[in-house]
């Protein structure tokens, strides 16, 4: 017998933050890994076109290490305010 599925379920796949951002994280450029992530990213982009609320914040990240490890500094952020908040949250 086969399993019976009742109801619909959807999987949006990994978010942009969960996708690899470096050469090492995609297996050093292994062709199978690159092909997999290309398909995954293209699928996610089509989904975000249809449902823009899934896209999240797409502004470029200016800093993501040190005091900005928990919340990255993005283009357009008030640098002074973001720095103060990061230092306050670090303590």
């Amino acid at each position: 017998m086969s399993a019976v599925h009742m109801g619909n379920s959807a999987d949006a796949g990994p978010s942009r933050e969960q996708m690899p951002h470096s050469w090492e994280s995609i297996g050093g450029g292994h062709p199978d890994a690159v092909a997999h992530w290309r398909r995954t990213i293209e699928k996610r982009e089509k989904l975000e076109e249809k449902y823009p609320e899934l896209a999240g914040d797409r502004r470029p990240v200016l800093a993501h290490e040190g005091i900005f490890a928990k919340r990255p500094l993005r283009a357009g952020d008030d640098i002074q305010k973001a720095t103060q908040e990061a230092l306050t949250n670090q303590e």
Side-chain angles (χ1 to χ4, degrees):
M1 288 182 84
S2 62
V4 176
H5 296 283
M6 302 291 286
N8 295 330
S9 64
D11 180 14
S15 67
R16 289 182 180 274
E17 289 78 24
Q18 295 169 325
M19 291 184 188
H21 296 287
S22 69
W23 185 253
E24 291 83 20
S25 61
I26 56 169
H30 188 279
D32 292 339
V34 172
H36 163 76
W37 282 108
R38 177 176 294 250
R39 286 190 306 271
T40 302
I41 291 168
E42 288 172 353
K43 182 178 173 185
R44 181 68 187 202
E45 287 174 347
K46 288 179 184 177
L47 187 65
E48 288 175 1
E49 285 176 17
K50 189 171 183 180
Y51 302 100
E53 64 273 14
L54 295 176
D57 193 349
R58 297 183 69 178
R59 296 177 295 152
V61 174
L62 303 177
H64 60 87
E65 296 175 336
I67 63 171
F68 296 109
K70 292 182 181 177
R71 184 178 177 272
L73 177 67
R74 294 186 175 269
D77 286 349
D78 180 342
I79 295 174
Q80 188 174 27
K81 181 180 176 185
T83 304
Q84 289 173 344
E85 288 175 0
L87 290 172
T88 301
N89 293 333
Q90 189 178 25
E91 297 172 354

